[in-house]
């Protein structure tokens, strides 16, 4: 109150402050209310945005899990399990790995399904959930589900692109997110899809927290909090989550170059750990793919020995790298098992890879495969044979080269190979295949040598056969055109000589054929060695006298004279050697035959019998001799020391080969000492059982032939005897009739075995005394005819003498004739002396049986 009693109503500072505060409070209240409303609105908006972001995160996480699993799952195995639907060991291992993988994720469901063509359904290949402690494989594999339960799966199977759903769905485990990814086989075909379901509970919890925060927010603090919360969430959650989600999307698309911002990688929250996990997965997959690509690049370049280090990985990645290494190991083992050498070369450079056979080849020949230019050196050696280069393939562009090469080993042995080179293009490795053909080349050379020898032999045989044939035909024409009896007889005598020479050639050919076929058989009989040698010398003497060559016989220490062997074959050897010695001796020379019993036999001085005696026979001539380099050839069939020998001296070149084979069959050895210009000494030994000269075993009286009375048929009297001659060739029947006419033998004829049987059946008993039977005839052969005659129900059918008279002279032919029921065998051309003696024995034996 002032002095005049009036009152001063001015404001105090406190009241002003109160007003300002009220306004401020109102402003603050309004501001808080505004911010509260804005905060609530912004909180709700943030809640919705975070919900969508978390939703997308879960979907991307599903998709990333699927993408990662798709990279390690073997689509070929999935395809096989889909085809078989059988739970085996392979499936257990496959499912166990997926169980382990699933346990390291947050997935509620993790499954693989395939479309097997059943209308409206998919088939489970694998199924696992958190609620199943031990997955039931039998329940999972092969279970079907309707396609309506998997929207979007058909698009994955059709396009091969992953699928993610924008909303979650209600399931037995609550609200779930899901996504699908394709599984490819090695051909790039989609064989199944992977599904992953994630729980939506975290999203529900997040929403509840947001609602509680909205209820407790008051005023400006709540508004500022909402604003700060929005800014913080965006900085700490929204942006990082966007980076994580974008990384998951790139990873699911196959982009393995995933790098998160440095600010995110330094954080320690769940989002940062999730981002680092994505980075680790992408890095591991990238390293695995890089290692596999390095191995494949090396293999494509031809370096099959390259391997990746599986120890640098764990779990499934180690299994993948180990599987790739094992595949290359199996391939290398297969290459090593191939007997041919296989190698890969850098174009025009050193060897990149070689299998075991190739390395052995390089070691055998002392080569260095690591030097540049080794391929060019190997494909064009100095000893190489002709090469053959094929035209490049128009479709593939391949260029091929094939050739034969010859190389010396480190020991100086020559080996032969075929080498094949294949060049795809200039930057690709060159593949080489080497095959050892040394045995084939040697066999080819031997065959060519044998072919040349046989061709030369055939040429000589043609000459040898045509020479006596020319004489026979020419002398026959001369005789038929002459009336001079003396001239005719002279011609016939020469025809007989030429015929015997021709027969000798044919016998040599037959003998060598039997030897090569292993069918030459020696007969064992007892005979006097001294008598046999005398006979041989007697046969050779006429020819020796014609050439003015003397043949001297020397016998030394012959204690055992009667030996058991094949006299015919022994005489054949001696005749061959003596004939050759006379042939190659000049007039006035001499030929020595020495027969000696060796002391190293198994003889008992107190016993006349010796189980094993050894005899040596030596034939020495002083003729042209043989070059030592050619001496070994003359014991080979179809060979002579020189091709000019046959032209100058004649001969087939078979005699020594036959003689050597006969001597070896008698348990002996053949040897030759020779010197050109000074003559040759052919020696051989035989070993056989023998008796002393005074203790000769008796011969069988029934089968032994009487001493030869000469080849004059007139000296035999077969009057009153009748023979049936059976032969399908008329001239053969005429010849035997003419030869036997001087004996007085009555002869009737039959043209085949059937006529012979009918003639014998019509005749009375005892009408025929003998049947001379050919073996090969039309209608009915001699074997069957003989059997039918022997089977007739009449007394003379069993004891009539049936003698084979045939050109079939092999041992099996003789044995076959005797087995058919014939009594003996006469070969053609006919030896009239032996024929007369056989007939004489047969008639005497029949007369003895008639008396009985």
């Amino acid at each position: 109150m002032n002095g005049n009693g009036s009152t001063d109503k001015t404001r105090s500072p406190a009241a002003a402050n109160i007003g300002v505060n009220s306004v401020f409070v109102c402003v603050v209240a309004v501001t808080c209310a505004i911010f509260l409303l804005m905060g609530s609105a912004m909180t709700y908006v943030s809640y919705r945005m975070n919900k969508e972001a978390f939703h997308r995160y879960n979907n991307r996480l599903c998709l990333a899990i699927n993408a990662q699993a798709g990279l390690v799952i073997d689509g070929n195995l999935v395809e096989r399990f889909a085809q078989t639907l059988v739970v085996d060991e392979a499936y257990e291992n496959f499912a166990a790995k997926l169980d382990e993988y699933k346990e390291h994720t947050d997935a509620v469901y993790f499954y693989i399904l395939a479309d097997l063509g059943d209308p409206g359904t998919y088939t489970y290949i694998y199924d696992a959930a958190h609620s199943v402690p031990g997955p039931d494989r039998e329940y999972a594999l092969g279970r079907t589900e309707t396609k309506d339960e998997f929207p979007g799966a058909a698009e994955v199977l059709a396009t091969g692109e992953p699928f993610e759903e924008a909303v979650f769905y209600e399931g037995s485990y609550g609200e779930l997110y899901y996504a699908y990814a394709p599984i490819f086989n090695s051909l790039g075909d989609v064989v199944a899809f992977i599904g992953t379901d994630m729980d939506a509970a975290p999203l529900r919890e997040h929403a509840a927290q947001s609602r509680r925060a909205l209820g407790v927010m008051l005023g400006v603090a709540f508004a500022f909090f909402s604003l700060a919360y929005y800014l913080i969430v965006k900085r700490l959650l929204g942006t990082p989550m966007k980076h994580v989600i974008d990384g998951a999307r790139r990873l699911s698309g196959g982009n393995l170059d995933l790098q998160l911002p440095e600010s995110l990688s330094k954080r320690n929250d769940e989002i940062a750990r999730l981002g680092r996990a994505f980075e680790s997965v992408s890095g591991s997959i990238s390293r695995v793919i890089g290692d596999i690509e390095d191995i494949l690049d090396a293999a494509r370049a031809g370096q099959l020995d390259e391997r990746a280090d599986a120890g640098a990985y764990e779990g499934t990645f180690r299994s993948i790298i180990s599987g790739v290494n094992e595949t290359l190991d199996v391939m290398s083992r297969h290459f090593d098992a191939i007997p041919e050498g296989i190698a890969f070369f850098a174009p025009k450079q050193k060897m990149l890879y070689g299998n075991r056979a190739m390395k052995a080849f390089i070691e055998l020949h002392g080569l260095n495969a690591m030097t540049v230019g080794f391929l060019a050196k190997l494909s064009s050696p100095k000893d190489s044979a002709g090469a053959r280069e094929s035209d490049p393939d128009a479709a593939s562009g391949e260029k091929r080269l094939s050739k034969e090469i010859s190389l010396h080993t480190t020991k100086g042995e020559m080996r032969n190979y075929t080498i094949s080179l294949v060049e795809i293009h200039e930057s690709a490795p060159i593949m080489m295949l080497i095959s050892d053909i040394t045995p084939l080349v040697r066999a080819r050379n031997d065959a060519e040598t044998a072919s040349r020898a046989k061709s030369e032999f055939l040429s000589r045989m043609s000459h040898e056969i045509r020479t006596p044939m020319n004489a026979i035909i020419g002398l026959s024409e001369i005789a038929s055109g002459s009336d001079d009896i003396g001239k005719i007889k002279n011609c016939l005598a020469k025809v007989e000589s030429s015929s015997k020479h021709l027969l000798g050639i044919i016998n040599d050919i037959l003998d060598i054929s039997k030897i090569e076929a292993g069918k030459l058989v020696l007969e064992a009989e007892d005979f006097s060695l001294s008598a046999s040698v005398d006979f041989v010398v007697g046969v050779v003497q006429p020819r020796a006298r014609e050439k003015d060559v003397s043949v001297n016989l020397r016998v030394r220490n012959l204690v055992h004279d009667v030996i058991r062997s094949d006299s015919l074959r022994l005489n054949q050897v001696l005749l061959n050697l003596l004939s050759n010695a006379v042939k190659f001796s000049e007039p006035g020379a001499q030929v020595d035959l020495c027969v000696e019993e060796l002391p190293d036999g198994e003889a008992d001085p107190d016993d006349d019998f010796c189980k094993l005696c050894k005899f040596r026979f030596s034939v020495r001539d002083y003729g042209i001799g043989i070059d030592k380099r050619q001496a070994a050839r003359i014991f080979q069939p179809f060979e002579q020391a020189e091709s000019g020998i046959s032209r100058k001296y004649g001969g087939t070149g078979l005699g020594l080969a036959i003689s050597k084979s006969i001597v070896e069959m008698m348990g002996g050895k053949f040897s030759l000492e020779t010197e050109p210009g000074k003559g040759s000494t052919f020696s051989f030994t035989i070993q056989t059982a023998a008796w002393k000269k005074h203790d000769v075993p008796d011969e069988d009286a029934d089968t032994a032939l009487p001493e030869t009375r000469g080849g004059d048929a007139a000296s035999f009297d077969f009057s009153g005897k009748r023979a049936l001659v059976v032969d399908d060739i008329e001239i053969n029947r005429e010849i035997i009739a003419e030869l036997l006419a001087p004996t007085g033998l009555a002869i009737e004829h039959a043209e085949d075995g059937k006529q012979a049987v009918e003639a014998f059946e019509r005749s009375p008993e005892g009408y025929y005394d003998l049947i001379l039977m050919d073996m090969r005839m039309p209608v009915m052969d001699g074997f069957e005819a003989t059997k039918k005659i022997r089977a007739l129900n009449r007394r003379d059918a069993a004891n009539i003498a049936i003698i084979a008279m045939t050109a079939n002279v092999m041992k099996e032919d003789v044995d076959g004739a005797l087995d058919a029921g014939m009594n003996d065998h006469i070969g053609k051309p006919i030896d009239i002396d032996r024929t007369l003696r056989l007939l004489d024995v047969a008639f005497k034996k029949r007369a003895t049986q008639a008396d009985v």
Side-chain angles (χ1 to χ4, degrees), residues 192-443:
F193 69 91
I194 311 171
T196 303
D197 294 356
M198 303 291 291
D199 190 1
L203 180 62
R204 292 196 303 274
E205 179 63 22
H206 174 74
Q209 291 178 356
S210 298
R211 287 193 298 271
R212 286 193 297 271
L214 182 64
V216 297
M217 283 187 176
L218 295 175
V220 174
F222 179 77
F224 284 107
F225 173 78
S226 298
L227 181 60
Y229 178 78
Y230 171 77
L231 296 176
I232 292 174
V233 166
K234 181 175 181 181
R235 181 174 181 272
L236 299 181
L237 181 63
T239 300
M241 280 298 298
K242 181 177 183 299
H243 289 307
V244 172
I245 292 172
D246 290 341
R249 182 182 294 107
R250 292 197 303 272
L251 186 63
S252 65
N255 185 358
L256 302 179
D257 187 16
L258 179 61
Q259 291 184 347
L260 297 177
E262 182 178 358
S263 59
L264 179 62
S265 62
K266 292 181 178 180
R267 294 170 47 163
N268 293 320
D269 56 12
E270 293 298 327
I271 297 176
R273 285 194 290 272
L274 178 62
R276 286 193 291 272
F278 277 154
E279 281 187 323
S280 176
V281 168
S282 64
S284 297
I285 296 175
S286 179
R287 287 195 302 275
V288 169
I289 293 176
D291 283 346
I292 294 176
E293 288 179 347
D294 290 342
I295 298 175
L296 294 179
D297 289 342
R300 280 191 290 267
Q303 295 173 298
L304 300 183
D305 294 328
E306 293 293 327
R307 300 292 184 272
D309 182 14
Y313 300 94
E314 298 292 340
T316 303
F317 294 145
R318 172 177 285 186
S319 300
I320 293 173
I321 294 298
S322 298
V324 175
N325 288 341
E326 179 63 24
T327 301
L328 291 173
D329 290 340
V330 170
M331 183 184 302
S332 296
R333 287 196 295 270
H334 287 174
F335 277 141
D336 284 340
I338 297 174
E340 285 76 19
I342 298 176
F344 294 99
F345 293 84
K348 309 300 182 184
Q349 299 296 320
K350 64 183 180 181
M351 189 175 75
L352 301 172
Y353 167 82
N355 68 344
R356 184 177 302 164
M358 186 67 186
K359 294 174 182 176
F361 163 81
I362 292 172
E363 181 179 358
L364 178 65
H365 295 281
L367 303 174
N368 185 1
M370 303 309 294
T371 59
V372 175
F374 171 73
L375 175 62
K377 179 181 177 181
L378 184 61
S379 60
S380 57
K382 295 180 180 179
D383 298 330
S384 64
R388 178 178 57 83
E389 184 173 353
S390 64
D391 295 331
D393 191 312
S396 64
E398 291 184 356
K399 191 175 182 181
R400 298 175 180 269
L401 174 69
S402 298
K403 67 188 305 182
E404 289 187 15
I405 65 172
S406 300
L407 293 175
H408 286 90
T409 66
T410 54
K411 297 181 179 180
E413 179 189 2
M414 178 65 76
R415 306 289 295 181
N416 301 94
Y417 301 91
T418 58
I419 177 172
S420 299
L421 300 176
V422 179
E423 182 180 359
I424 308 301
H425 51 78
E426 293 183 356
S427 61
I430 298 174
M431 185 177 74
M432 173 184 287
L433 177 65
I434 291 182
S435 301
D436 189 348
I437 59 170
T438 302
L440 295 178
V441 171
R442 291 174 180 172

Side-chain angles (χ1 to χ4, degrees), residues 604-645:
D604 187 345
D606 299 328
D607 191 355
D608 292 331
F609 174 70
C610 178
K611 292 188 296 182
L612 188 64
C613 274
K614 291 187 177 181
F615 300 90
R616 181 167 58 202
F617 302 83
S618 299
V619 177
R620 177 173 176 77
D621 67 73
Y622 301 89
I624 62 175
I626 306 172
D627 190 323
K628 290 185 178 180
R629 293 176 300 176
Q630 299 173 339
R633 296 177 51 201
I634 62 176
F635 292 102
Q636 300 296 326
F638 320 116
E639 293 283 359
Q640 288 182 331
E642 297 178 5
S643 59
I645 295 294

Side-chain angles (χ1 to χ4, degrees), residues 805-818:
M805 182 173 286
T806 175
N808 293 28
V809 295
M810 296 294 187
K811 184 179 184 302
E812 54 267 28
D813 298 322
V814 177
D815 293 341
L818 298 179

Side-chain angles (χ1 to χ4, degrees), residues 653-701:
L654 298 176
L656 288 176
I658 296 171
S659 298
K660 182 175 181 290
S661 298
I662 293 174
V663 168
E664 290 174 351
M665 293 177 68
M666 291 181 173
K669 294 182 179 179
F670 223 111
S671 64
L672 168 62
E673 295 178 5
T674 182
E675 185 175 352
K678 295 185 178 181
S680 305
T681 300
F682 289 87
S683 302
F684 68 91
T685 61
I686 65 171
Q687 50 187 12
T688 181
W691 289 262
K692 290 183 179 179
K693 191 171 183 179
H694 62 272
D695 192 25
V696 182
D698 294 334
E699 296 181 351
D700 189 347

Side-chain angles (χ1 to χ4, degrees), residues 76-88 90-91 116 123 125 141-142:
N76 293 327
L77 282 178
V78 172
E79 188 174 22
R80 180 165 71 84
F81 298 149
Q83 293 173 353
T84 60
L85 298 179
V86 175
V87 177
D88 54 11
Y91 181 82
L116 301 187
T123 301
I125 306 302
L141 182 63

Side-chain angles (χ1 to χ4, degrees), residues 416-716:
N416 301 94
Y417 301 91
T418 58
I419 177 172
S420 299
L421 300 176
V422 179
E423 182 180 359
I424 308 301
H425 51 78
E426 293 183 356
S427 61
I430 298 174
M431 185 177 74
M432 173 184 287
L433 177 65
I434 291 182
S435 301
D436 189 348
I437 59 170
T438 302
L440 295 178
V441 171
R442 291 174 180 172
R444 181 181 64 193
N445 293 338
D446 291 344
E448 290 174 353
T449 300
S451 177
R452 287 194 298 269
K454 290 191 176 183
S455 296
E456 186 176 343
F457 165 75
L458 290 175
S459 177
R460 291 202 304 269
M461 288 308 97
S462 175
H463 176 269
E464 291 297 320
I465 292 174
R466 287 175 180 273
T467 297
M469 283 297 298
N470 180 64
I472 293 170
I473 295 173
L475 291 169
S476 298
E477 291 179 354
I478 293 172
S480 64
S482 176
D483 295 329
D484 187 346
I485 298 300
K487 187 175 183 179
I488 292 173
K489 287 185 176 181
N490 181 51
C491 289
L492 293 178
K494 292 179 179 179
V495 166
E496 181 182 7
S497 176
S498 298
S499 300
K500 290 181 178 179
H501 177 58
L502 179 60
L503 181 60
I505 295 173
I506 294 173
N507 286 337
D508 279 352
I509 297 173
L510 294 177
D511 282 345
I512 200 65
S513 298
K514 287 190 285 186
I515 289 172
E516 289 190 336
K519 295 183 178 181
L520 184 66
V521 179
L522 299 182
E523 300 291 342
E525 60 180 349
D526 297 325
F527 64 93
S528 171
L529 180 57
S530 59
S532 182
V533 172
D534 288 339
F535 169 77
V536 171
V537 174
V539 172
V540 176
Q541 283 288 9
R543 173 60 176 158
R545 283 195 293 268
E546 289 180 6
K547 287 196 65 176
D548 191 20
V549 175
S550 61
V551 179
N552 301 322
L553 173 62
R554 294 186 180 92
V555 179
R556 299 175 183 173
N557 193 31
L558 191 60
V559 178
H560 298 83
D561 181 56
V562 177
I563 67 174
R564 176 167 294 171
S565 187
D566 192 323
S567 62
L568 180 63
R569 293 300 180 182
L570 179 59
N571 289 348
Q572 181 180 353
V573 176
L574 290 173
L575 280 171
N576 179 264
L577 295 180
L578 286 172
S579 298
N580 284 345
V582 171
K583 180 193 302 183
F584 297 114
S585 295
E586 298 297 328
Q590 70 178 34
V591 173
D592 297 328
L593 170 60
C594 180
V595 181
E596 179 182 8
E597 182 174 346
L598 300 178
D600 54 348
E602 298 178 8
D604 187 345
D606 299 328
D607 191 355
D608 292 331
F609 174 70
C610 178
K611 292 188 296 182
L612 188 64
C613 274
K614 291 187 177 181
F615 300 90
R616 181 167 58 202
F617 302 83
S618 299
V619 177
R620 177 173 176 77
D621 67 73
Y622 301 89
I624 62 175
I626 306 172
D627 190 323
K628 290 185 178 180
R629 293 176 300 176
Q630 299 173 339
R633 296 177 51 201
I634 62 176
F635 292 102
Q636 300 296 326
F638 320 116
E639 293 283 359
Q640 288 182 331
E642 297 178 5
S643 59
I645 295 294
S646 63
R647 293 192 294 270
K648 182 175 181 180
Y649 294 97
T652 63
L654 298 176
L656 288 176
I658 296 171
S659 298
K660 182 175 181 290
S661 298
I662 293 174
V663 168
E664 290 174 351
M665 293 177 68
M666 291 181 173
K669 294 182 179 179
F670 223 111
S671 64
L672 168 62
E673 295 178 5
T674 182
E675 185 175 352
K678 295 185 178 181
S680 305
T681 300
F682 289 87
S683 302
F684 68 91
T685 61
I686 65 171
Q687 50 187 12
T688 181
W691 289 262
K692 290 183 179 179
K693 191 171 183 179
H694 62 272
D695 192 25
V696 182
D698 294 334
E699 296 181 351
D700 189 347
D702 289 338
T703 59
L705 296 178
E707 289 299 323
T708 304
R709 291 184 285 177
D712 188 0
S715 61
F716 290 86

